[in-house]
Amino acid sequence: MTNRSHSFRMPDKPSLDGIEAKWVDVWDESGVYHFDRTAGREDVFSIDTPPPTVSGSLHIGHVFSYTHTDTVARFQRMNGKAVFYPMGWDDNGLPTERRVQNYYGVRCDPSIPYDPDFQPPAKPDRKRQIPISRRNFIELCDILTAEDEKVFESIWRRLGLSVDWRHTYATIDDTSRAAAQRAFLRNLARGEAYMAEAPTLWDVTFRTAVAQAELEDRERPSAYHKVAFHKADGSPVHIETTRPELLPACVALVAHPDDERYQDLFGSTVTTPVFGVEVPVKAHRLADPEKGSGIAMICTFGDTTDVTWWRELQLGTRPIIGWDGRIMAEAPKGLREGAAREAYDKLVGATVHTARERMVEMLGESGDLVGEPTPVTHPVKFYEKGDKPLEIVTTRQWYISNGGRDEDLRDELLERGRELVWYPDHMRQRYENWVEGLNSDWLISRQRFFGVPFPVWYPLDGDGNPRYEQPLVPAEDQLPVDPSSQAPEGHTEDQRGLPGGFTGDPDVMDTWATSSLSPQIASGWERDQDLFERVFPMDFRPQGQDIIRTWLFSTVVRAHLENGSLPWSSTGISGWILDPDRKKMSKSKGNVVTPIAMLEKYSSDAVRYWAANGRLGTDTALDEGQMKVGRRLSIKILNASKFVMSVAGEGAGSDPAQVTEPLDRAMLAALAEVVEEATTAFTGFDHTRALERTERFFWDFCDDYLELVKARAYDTESPEGASARAALLIALGALHRLFAPFLPFVTEEVWSWWQDGSVHGQAWPSADEHRTVAADGDPAVLAVTAEVLRDVRRAKSEAKLSMRAEVERVRVAGDRVEAVRSAVGDLSAAGRAAAVDLEPVEGKELTVEVTLPEPEKQQ
């Protein structure tokens, strides 16, 4: 805190209008948010910013959580840290494909050749999308995502994010593709990535595999059908199932090994109804004696329990559902001849729903359906972005080890979660619950088009069959590669698809397989070693609670496997945004609000104020009333700052040595406490507490202190007046900086009226520095004097007098009276009191009696 005089450049009518456009350009030109590449690691604070999905529009939830991160970045920057705050765009994967399909009226068909002259239809028809080649489709994806990214960036700038826009990445750009392919090849070389043909959760609409982390249960109506299988002697064995359409896929019946009802059946066989296929009866602990008849059919595959039974009982397969969700034309073993084949043909080509209806009809005709179906509602697995229940089909997919099938690795990843500092701490339990509940490795391949290709080719044998056990891979210096359009080393393109030639892996990586490398991508892993060493492992990962199991966990997995460390030291988890009915906002519910109208209506600072009032991990309702409060606060900062500068006068100084009066020192002592509390709160990632404490002091400062010292501050001849003016300017400088992380636009505006440079490049206020200036100042002096002044004002208001009305006498009694004595002069001036009597009374609450002038004297 230095001694200097100030010249003031306040506008005649301060306003929030146009303030965002003004300062966004200035910040861009000045580079105030640029990362200092010369800073050592100990002086860096690096943030792994969530790359938002750009296939659509930002919603208010983005504004909410990204504001939290930005307050942290600004606080750390003002605390002397070189803040590495990049921005990424998550632009690959299914959401982008769907947006491109709808926007251009096209769909991808890999069998169609590339058309270099292709132009999308002038009037797209979503219902009659035209097929185009994969390469043409990807080109459209690139074009549209580039435009979407510009829109997103403009909104982020409007919100005031202090991002270093020189450091951006997209999850589909060359840098990200090379990083994702490099990490995969290293996983493959270490045995952490592997291909397997196995039952796979499958979305029939998008025709792609789905990972465990992408599942959600949805309650759906169904019905239990009681169906008769038959023993060798023709007597029935009744099972109850909600999926009778899977009868042709049945490979066994199963009951609990301790179920007395079925002891004589274990080891024998029964025949399926309608199809007459012989299947074994097995015992397994997962069979529930209390569910239905206690005996169930195992089908390949109806649900994940079927998969467990199939795997552990070493059963065969009878797949009947294809990638399109319809019954396949090729009948499974045992159903290819006679009556069984005739019955199966009635199901071929039908959807699951239609096949169920037909199967029930056939069971009724054969007499194997017992009674009427019993309606039930039960949870069904869905892909989180899908509209139809998932099926389980057998496919060849790529996996990465994540502890789901390796207990030692699971323990290591649990320990990583304990090393990580969580804000709030209870969110750690969600991580641990997820890791402990894993039952499979991470399925990372997707049967889609716009994504990072697997950098793998397969040689073809003499019959043109892929030799999956002998994959061909590129050298790392060749990355990124696209096996669908490039030939592997030692081959030429004319060998593609021919016996003795090669074929490229047709799949792309799950979007999380790239996003899980966001710390490495942003940090320059293997391409900018100097940057990488300065910022990795990163300091902070902000994110939503719904993606702890996906983004957070997968990022921990990749860093653990590749770097032998955590990807960051701490993480902050946001709560949900709730609509006015206290329901979680989500696109699927249709209750999402986009932010631009609110930013324009209330100002960016006002919307940030609402967001900053939501603590990490705490659900927060969308509240336009709070945005109005934020706007009023911003306007008050403008007006109060102008008032203080007007009172201080041109050339006023902020020399700490001039602060001599008890009330001024009391105010600065109280301010020192605020600075200390706000600093402690921010250090603990409690931005809300920092804002609450700063705001409360600010309103007290405006309502009480300014009124108390106004008269004295206008006295330009006395040292007492100089004390007030110096204290006012010292406090104003601290308040501008305390509010800066939350309200960046208005604080930059008022800072520019009297200071050089950006407020966002200034040092965070120091509690000790203000405490030194306050010297022996006692915050109680201001608190009690302000309380008395409020009572005087109240008395005038009740008497319907102007606040400028004179008061004959103010009598103050109680055990806190002495706190007022040193500020009696300011109290008299502010309350316009001719006399102030102080009467200390130990143990008595403070009382204030105001003697107003006689009515005739008020005339």
Side-chain angles (χ1 to χ4, degrees):
M1 198 175 297
T2 58
N3 175 22
R4 56 169 296 190
S5 59
H6 300 278
S7 59
F8 303 116
R9 305 173 290 277
M10 305 94 71
D12 293 334
K13 294 182 178 180
S15 172
L16 298 180
D17 295 340
I19 198 171
E20 291 90 357
K22 171 183 177 181
W23 290 111
V24 162
D25 291 342
V26 171
W27 292 336
D28 213 26
E29 293 167 6
S30 68
V32 65
Y33 304 135
H34 287 180
F35 173 62
D36 181 3
R37 286 288 300 254
T38 66
R41 183 64 187 91
E42 68 281 0
D43 296 320
V44 168
F45 186 86
S46 51
I47 301 172
D48 181 20
T49 316
T53 301
V54 296
S55 55
S57 59
L58 285 171
H59 57 77
I60 199 68
H62 289 108
V63 167
F64 178 72
S65 58
Y66 281 73
T67 295
H68 297 170
T69 306
D70 191 57
T71 63
V72 172
R74 291 178 179 279
F75 169 74
Q76 293 290 343
R77 191 179 291 111
M78 295 177 77
N79 262 284
K81 292 289 188 178
V83 174
F84 182 68
Y85 187 14
M87 179 60 69
W89 310 115
D90 191 8
D91 46 15
N92 73 45
L94 183 58
T96 296
E97 289 187 23
R98 294 178 72 179
R99 175 157 160 73
V100 168
Q101 288 170 353
N102 292 329
Y103 188 87
Y104 291 112
V106 300
R107 62 180 175 84
C108 182
D109 184 344
S111 66
I112 293 177
Y114 174 66
D115 179 0
D117 300 318
F118 172 76
Q119 293 293 325
K123 294 182 178 181
D125 186 343
R126 294 186 180 187
K127 295 182 179 179
R128 301 180 64 183
Q129 297 171 344
I130 63 173
I132 61 174
S133 74
R134 177 173 180 167
R135 183 173 171 187
N136 286 126
F137 186 78
I138 290 173
E139 287 176 352
L140 291 181
C141 291
D142 286 331
I143 292 170
L144 192 56
T145 53
E147 293 304 310
D148 287 341
E149 287 164 13
K150 293 176 184 177
V151 174
F152 273 46
E153 181 176 333
S154 68
I155 295 175
W156 283 148
R157 288 177 179 271
R158 171 67 186 260
L159 184 63
L161 296 191
S162 58
V163 165
D164 184 345
W165 292 105
R166 301 173 305 165
H167 292 278
T168 61
Y169 66 90
T171 55
I172 200 64
D173 65 21
D174 284 352
T175 295
S176 296
R177 285 190 292 125
Q181 291 182 340
R182 182 189 312 118
F184 169 79
L185 290 176
R186 294 186 183 183
N187 291 138
L188 183 63
R190 293 192 295 261
E192 298 151 359
Y194 62 92
M195 175 179 278
E197 187 170 17
T200 307
L201 287 161
W202 187 265
D203 187 283
V204 299
T205 302
F206 302 115
R207 301 191 187 186
T208 185
V210 177
Q212 184 181 352
E214 298 171 308
L215 304 181
E216 63 181 36
D217 285 334
R218 300 179 194 170
E219 291 291 327
R220 286 294 184 269
S222 186
Y224 273 112
H225 300 77
K226 191 172 184 178
V227 176
F229 282 64
H230 302 282
K231 301 179 187 178
D233 62 6
S235 60
V237 178
H238 294 115
I239 64 103
E240 293 185 33
T241 179
T242 60
R243 301 205 61 180
E245 74 277 8
L246 291 180
L247 271 169
C250 180
V251 293
L253 295 190
V254 64
H256 195 279
D258 298 332
D259 195 327
E260 293 295 333
R261 294 171 292 179
Y262 302 109
Q263 294 300 313
D264 63 332
L265 276 178
F266 294 139
S268 69
T269 62
V270 295
T271 56
T272 61
V274 178
F275 301 98
V277 175
E278 197 171 299
V279 296
V281 180
K282 299 285 186 177
H284 196 282
R285 64 191 182 282
L286 288 181
D288 185 356
E290 304 299 322
K291 187 175 181 180
S293 60
I295 191 167
M297 64 176 181
I298 303 173
C299 302
T300 52
F301 296 92
D303 57 24
T304 54
T305 305
D306 276 345
V307 176
T308 302
W309 282 331
W310 166 80
R311 182 179 289 119
E312 296 186 7
L313 296 174
Q314 299 182 345
L315 301 169
T317 60
R318 287 196 177 95
I320 66 167
I321 298 179
W323 286 19
D324 59 357
R326 295 178 179 270
I327 305 302
M328 294 189 295
E330 183 178 351
K333 292 179 181 178
L335 285 80
R336 296 174 181 171
E337 297 177 352
R341 178 63 196 236
E342 185 178 337
Y344 183 80
D345 284 345
K346 294 179 181 179
L347 305 177
V348 169
T351 63
V352 168
H353 177 77
T354 301
R356 182 176 305 149
E357 293 178 337
R358 293 178 184 175
M359 193 70 244
V360 170
E361 184 179 339
M362 284 189 279
L363 286 167
E365 292 172 353
S366 69
D368 294 315
L369 181 65
V370 181
E372 292 295 319
T374 304
V376 295
T377 300
H378 63 163
V380 178
K381 299 290 183 190
F382 279 76
Y383 174 37
E384 60 187 4
K385 295 181 175 66
D387 299 320
K388 292 184 179 180
L390 293 174
E391 298 295 343
I392 298 178
V393 300
T394 300
T395 59
R396 188 178 297 276
Q397 305 285 349
W398 283 105
Y399 297 82
I400 288 180
S401 300
N402 68 353
R405 302 176 68 180
D406 182 336
E407 192 170 333
D408 290 340
L409 177 57
R410 180 180 306 183
D411 289 342
E412 291 170 8
L413 294 172
L414 284 169
E415 186 56 37
R416 287 294 185 201
R418 296 176 188 124
E419 291 175 30
L420 186 62
V421 181
W422 295 75
Y423 299 101
D425 185 67
H426 68 81
M427 288 292 178
R428 182 196 318 271
Q429 193 59 49
R430 299 194 183 193
Y431 173 91
E432 294 190 354
N433 290 343
W434 172 252
V435 178
E436 289 169 350
L438 286 169
N439 54 34
S440 63
D441 281 333
W442 178 14
L443 190 159
I444 63 166
S445 48
R446 294 292 180 272
Q447 289 64 53
R448 301 305 304 168
F449 313 113
F450 190 57
V452 178
F454 284 91
V456 176
W457 299 265
Y458 308 103
L460 300 179
D461 63 18
D463 295 323
N465 298 312
R467 298 165 66 179
Y468 292 112
E469 72 283 359
Q470 297 179 5
L472 306 172
V473 298
E476 287 190 6
D477 61 7
Q478 296 175 314
L479 302 177
V481 298
D482 182 359
S484 68
S485 59
Q486 294 173 249
E489 193 79 19
H491 294 73
T492 57
E493 187 60 31
D494 58 9
Q495 295 176 284
R496 185 182 295 274
L498 299 180
F502 71 93
T503 186
D505 194 303
D507 294 345
V508 297
M509 297 184 195
D510 165 22
T511 185
W512 296 113
T514 305
S515 298
S516 62
L517 296 166
S518 58
Q520 290 89 342
I521 292 169
S523 299
W525 174 55
E526 299 290 359
R527 61 182 170 81
D528 189 337
Q529 190 62 24
D530 178 73
L531 177 65
F532 187 73
E533 291 176 357
R534 293 179 194 277
V535 303
F536 188 92
M538 302 179 91
D539 294 281
F540 187 53
R541 149 66 73 81
Q543 68 160 72
Q545 57 189 297
D546 54 328
I547 51 175
I548 289 174
R549 61 181 184 171
T550 49
W551 193 37
L552 188 146
F553 174 62
S554 60
T555 310
V556 170
V557 169
R558 302 305 285 278
H560 177 75
L561 297 177
E562 179 61 38
N563 308 105
S565 70
L566 280 171
W568 359 258
S569 56
S570 62
T571 183
I573 309 297
S574 296
W576 303 120
I577 291 297
L578 309 177
D579 67 15
D581 294 327
R582 307 297 296 180
K583 295 179 181 177
K584 176 196 168 189
M585 280 194 178
S586 69
K587 291 182 179 178
S588 62
K589 292 180 180 178
N591 60 350
V592 164
V593 175
T594 54
I596 191 65
M598 292 181 180
L599 294 172
E600 293 174 348
K601 182 177 181 180
Y602 298 111
S603 82
S604 296
D605 282 343
V607 175
R608 287 174 63 105
Y609 171 85
W610 159 75
N613 270 281
R615 283 186 168 82
L616 288 176
T618 302
D619 295 346
T620 300
L622 177 63
D623 186 352
E624 292 191 52
Q626 202 164 39
M627 294 179 193
K628 293 176 183 177
V629 173
R631 183 173 178 83
R632 286 198 296 270
L633 173 62
S634 298
I635 292 172
K636 186 66 175 181
I637 290 172
L638 289 175
N639 294 334
S641 298
K642 182 177 180 181
F643 179 75
V644 167
M645 294 176 198
S646 299
V647 169
E650 192 69 22
S654 53
D655 182 0
Q658 291 181 313
V659 182
T660 56
E661 295 306 292
L663 189 66
D664 304 332
R665 289 183 170 183
M667 181 273 293
L668 292 176
L671 177 58
E673 291 181 358
V674 171
V675 170
E676 185 168 63
E677 289 183 42
T679 304
T680 300
F682 252 133
T683 302
F685 293 87
D686 188 354
H687 54 266
T688 304
R689 172 63 179 165
L691 174 57
E692 289 172 348
R693 193 66 186 90
T694 301
E695 184 183 6
R696 191 185 320 136
F697 176 85
F698 173 73
W699 286 113
D700 290 343
F701 173 81
C702 294
D703 295 342
D704 300 326
Y705 179 73
L706 280 179
E707 291 301 318
L708 282 165
V709 303
K710 188 191 313 181
R712 177 157 53 88
Y714 278 123
D715 181 357
T716 58
E717 302 299 327
S718 69
E720 291 82 5
S723 174
R725 292 190 295 275
L728 282 167
L729 293 176
I730 290 170
L732 192 66
L735 284 166
H736 288 172
R737 287 174 288 158
L738 286 170
F739 275 125
F742 310 103
L743 313 173
F745 293 104
V746 72
T747 51
E748 188 75 298
E749 174 69 15
V750 293
W751 186 263
S752 72
W753 296 349
W754 68 306
Q755 302 280 8
D756 297 327
S758 170
V759 68
H760 305 299
Q762 306 304 311
W764 183 253
S766 162
D768 287 342
E769 194 172 3
H770 285 83
R771 200 167 280 126
T772 298
V773 179
D776 57 355
D778 180 2
V781 170
L782 175 58
V784 179
T785 305
E787 184 178 338
V788 174
L789 179 61
R790 285 193 292 272
D791 284 342
V792 173
R793 289 172 173 168
R794 188 179 302 112
K796 291 182 180 182
S797 179
E798 291 172 353
K800 298 182 179 179
L801 294 176
S802 164
M803 291 299 115
R804 295 178 177 274
E806 299 289 340
V807 172
E808 289 190 356
R809 184 175 299 279
V810 175
R811 179 176 175 273
V812 186
D815 55 7
R816 292 183 292 151
V817 161
E818 288 305 321
V820 182
R821 194 173 299 281
S822 61
V824 163
D826 291 322
L827 176 62
S828 297
R832 293 181 176 265
V836 176
D837 296 335
L838 303 178
E839 183 181 337
V841 181
E842 190 172 344
K844 180 183 178 182
E845 285 293 317
L846 193 74
T847 60
V848 179
E849 295 178 7
V850 180
T851 303
L852 299 173
E854 296 296 328
E856 61 271 14
K857 295 182 179 180
Q858 298 174 19
Q859 300 294 319

